[in-house]
DNA sequence: CTGAAAGCGCTAACAT
DNA sequence: ATGTTAGCGCTTTCAG
């Protein structure tokens, strides 16, 4: 920068001013152009590290990343693109799901003076935000703070379950069952809530026996067979994921029933190839990872600029992909 | 840091020395412990930005990311974890596949004074590395420089095609066909080379007619039917991806042939759920994204520390996942 | 073994 | 409208 100043015959200050287009300072047209030309000519590029030190702002947002699953990649991508659109970059800090490492990751990011942090945990779990998430603007992604003290962006799983279930009702189904996951997480709870709301909306009584918890293709197969063997078998099936849907498909096929003729199926976790591999192609509910990452960063920027914590929780709509199973 | 020095009754220099465990400087045991205690007590953490400015080393590596596909997430993760293991963080810079934006991304990362850059492009394409990739230690990921001037990490697709094809020969197949992709990319060329090498190894003549280019399930279906209708239909099929394998499966099923009894199938792009959805479960060749990301960063560190460009190209083994289709 | 002091490259009062 | 100057928080000679 000194070189530029010298070559253009001005002071460093002037160079800095033209570079930053400081609002209250007007630089003479001639000077400005001379400086700009010199910058161009010398190929000068400001040192972002030095600028960050001085401004106490690094134009960098930290992304804490717990999820080893590949889908998280879309979240990171969404975050990265949203940040980029605002002139910031994303600094990644992973934790192999380890909570101790998580503390560390947050601290490390703060050491680097990131302007804010997006903290993405797996599986929508409620977290007690670590101290450092309070010391710098932060937003949770895919989970929420137990005390709502940190804003969060989550997939609207309840609405998604409601929609998936309602779609089946709307094609005339009377009894929709829910093949849920084995473990009770916030995700499964939200989905169950949505499922129940769909029943209420439809004026159908909730039956405990229509909700089965299972894990894996095999368990889903068994659960479906068991459901089909009941006096009043279901004519619709909401599945927690693709593997479960696969098990259900197999059971339905073995029972010589037709999809969607005899029974409709909808599953969470859209995966184009897998969904199309099933016959008939499976209608799915997608998890909007990209959009979640994007919105988390947008929210973070609001937080940073408004200097006020944005409202508690933002839910992102989960798209429904209609294929042939409903 | 000044506060720590003051509270411990020493100079900043001393604090810096104990913090960095400078080799040639020995600090008295008592002083060191006092300083450490004070640091702990005050909860002091060094400012990484200031340190970066002074040391001209940021412990950050840049990752240029072209690929909008979700699988790239695993590469980023591999890179991130490898970097983390060496005390560095990954700074992301995406480009929507746009070359102009790419120039920019590289420049932005250099402005941030990253210690090195990993540049990941989609689809193994040969690139003429932009100037900035030469001005800072860089390694290409998933592609290679036309002039080999920049080290590269790629999946060993030729070896993978060789292995997949050979596996089929080893179960007694005589004629293995290759359903390749529609476009001629370095990826498809490498795979074809591997396929041909497998033929040579087996002592089988290459037949142009056994290699079909297709894109999508439907095209694969047609290509397979056409192959099966020939006088000497193949008894083995190497598929470019899962969609193509799906089309092949359908065609084989329609032709009332059995997998693997009448014909064996192997496909690139391992995806557990999809592969298991097919009946019989499809044997696949995985693309080692995580490992590639990891190795790219390892290579980059060699580059940075050895201050010498590591040898041209590193190929990562692609794992073969045996299921029931061979 | 420890401290004083210079400076990394930039920004932003404050002067002129 | 432009220049002078004092740091941002740290590392690192060089003296003591």
């Amino acid at each position: 920068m000194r070189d530029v100043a010298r070559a253009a015959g001005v002071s460093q200050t002037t160079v800095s001013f033209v570079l930053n287009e400081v609002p209250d300072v007007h630089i003479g047209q001639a000077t400005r152009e001379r400086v700009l030309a010199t910058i161009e000519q010398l190929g000068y590029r400001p040192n972002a590290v030095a600028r960050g030190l001085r401004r106490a702002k690094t134009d960098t947002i930290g992304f804490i990343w717990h999820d080893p699953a590949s889908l998280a990649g879309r979240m990171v991508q969404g975050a990265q693109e949203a940040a980029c659109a605002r002139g910031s970059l994303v600094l990644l800090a992973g934790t192999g799901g380890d909570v101790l490492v998580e503390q560390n990751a947050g601290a490390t990011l703060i050491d680097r003076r990131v302007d804010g942090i997006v903290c993405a945990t797996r599986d929508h779990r409620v977290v007690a935000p670590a101290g450092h998430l309070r010391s710098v603007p932060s937003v949770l992604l895919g989970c929420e703070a137990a005390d709502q003290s940190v804003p969060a962006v989550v997939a609207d799983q309840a609405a998604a379950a409601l929609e998936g279930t309602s779609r089946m009702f709307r094609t005339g189904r009377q009894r929709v069952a829910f093949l849920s996951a084995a473990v009770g997480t916030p995700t499964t709870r939200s989905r169950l809530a949505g499922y129940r709301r769909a029943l209420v909306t439809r004026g159908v009584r909730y039956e405990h026996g229509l909700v089965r918890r299972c894990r894996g293709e095999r368990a889903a197969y068994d659960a479906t067979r068991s459901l089909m063997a009941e006096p009043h078998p279901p004519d619709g099936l909401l599945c927690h994921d693709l593997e479960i849907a696969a098990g259900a498909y197999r059971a339905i096929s073995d029972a010589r029933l037709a999809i969607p003729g005899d029974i409709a199926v909808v599953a969470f976790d859209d995966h184009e190839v897998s969904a199309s591999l099933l016959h008939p192609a499976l209608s799915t509910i997608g998890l909007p990872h990209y959009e979640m990452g994007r919105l988390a960063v947008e929210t973070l920027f609001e937080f940073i600029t408004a200097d006020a914590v944005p409202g508690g929780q933002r839910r992102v709509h989960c798209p429904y992909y209609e294929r042939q199973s409903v």
Side-chain angles (χ1 to χ4, degrees), chain A:
Chain A
M1 182 157 156
R2 201 178 44 217
D3 296 346
V4 173
R6 204 170 285 160
V10 297
S11 74
Q12 264 195 50
T13 313
T14 305
V15 178
S16 176
F17 283 163
V18 332
L19 224 42
N20 296 307
E21 292 169 358
V22 183
D24 297 333
V25 175
H26 279 222
I27 301 288
Q29 187 65 17
T31 318
R32 143 179 281 111
E33 297 201 336
R34 187 153 32 90
V35 171
L36 253 18
T38 314
I39 286 175
E40 178 78 15
Q41 191 189 326
L42 266 51
Y44 166 77
R45 306 215 94 210
N47 179 327
V49 177
R51 174 182 292 186
L53 176 60
R54 181 61 233 231
R55 286 219 272 229
K57 176 160 185 310
T58 53
D59 293 328
T60 305
I61 76 132
F63 192 103
I64 299 181
W65 186 13
H66 295 239
D67 197 339
S70 68
L71 282 172
R74 298 281 303 165
M75 278 190 183
V76 175
Q77 196 188 337
Q80 193 270 315
E81 288 180 11
C84 188
R86 298 192 175 247
S88 284
L89 294 185
V90 168
L91 190 60
L92 237 43
T95 75
D98 191 325
V99 178
L100 251 72
V101 181
E102 171 185 350
Q103 306 281 346
N104 225 306
T108 304
L109 289 176
I110 290 172
D111 292 348
R112 306 290 248 256
R113 294 299 183 271
V114 294
D115 300 332
I117 292 178
V118 171
C119 182
T121 72
R122 183 205 198 92
D123 198 16
H124 195 263
R125 112 184 119 84
V126 173
V127 298
H132 39 76
L133 291 189
R134 314 173 133 292
S135 67
V136 61
S138 302
V139 354
L140 263 22
L141 180 50
C143 57
E144 54 186 304
D147 56 0
Q148 296 272 341
S149 59
V150 176
V153 170
V154 298
D156 196 346
Q157 314 235 23
L162 169 62
E163 177 173 3
T165 308
S166 299
R167 294 250 179 191
M168 292 190 267
F169 280 135
R170 236 172 282 146
T171 59
R173 317 292 167 172
Q174 308 287 334
R175 290 172 63 74
V176 175
F178 178 24
L179 294 185
S180 182
V183 289
T185 63
T187 293
T188 59
R189 273 193 288 279
S190 298
R191 291 179 182 182
L192 182 59
Y195 165 77
R196 296 189 68 154
R197 212 177 318 143
L199 300 189
V200 170
T201 307
R202 188 67 178 187
V204 171
R205 193 171 53 83
Y206 171 74
E207 288 180 45
H208 196 69
L210 284 181
V211 176
R212 303 290 172 100
R213 300 191 170 280
C214 47
R215 182 200 187 89
E217 205 263 358
R218 186 59 210 257
Y221 177 85
D222 295 339
T224 307
R225 293 231 64 154
S226 142
L227 280 168
M228 303 316 281
E230 295 202 347
H232 295 290
D235 54 6
L237 217 42
L238 181 67
C239 301
H240 182 266
D241 61 31
L242 291 177
E243 264 189 278
I244 288 177
Y249 261 60
R250 193 159 60 86
I252 291 165
S253 161
D254 283 2
R256 314 233 159 252
L257 294 172
I259 301 171
D262 300 310
I263 182 166
V265 182
V266 170
F268 279 90
D269 286 7
D270 179 63
H271 179 82
E272 171 75 34
V273 175
S274 301
S276 303
L277 242 34
L278 290 164
H279 290 283
L282 176 66
S283 294
T284 56
I285 295 161
L287 261 23
H289 293 104
Y290 179 90
E291 177 60 18
M292 288 169 70
R294 206 194 55 70
L295 184 61
V297 167
E298 292 290 328
T299 306
L300 188 55
F301 276 117
E302 278 178 39
F303 198 163
I304 292 170
T305 56
D307 209 45
V309 183
Q313 194 195 55
R314 297 191 175 178
R315 280 189 278 272
V316 182
H317 173 75
C318 299
Y320 174 78
Y321 296 97
E322 175 142 340
R323 296 201 179 80
Q324 275 88 49
S325 63
V326 176

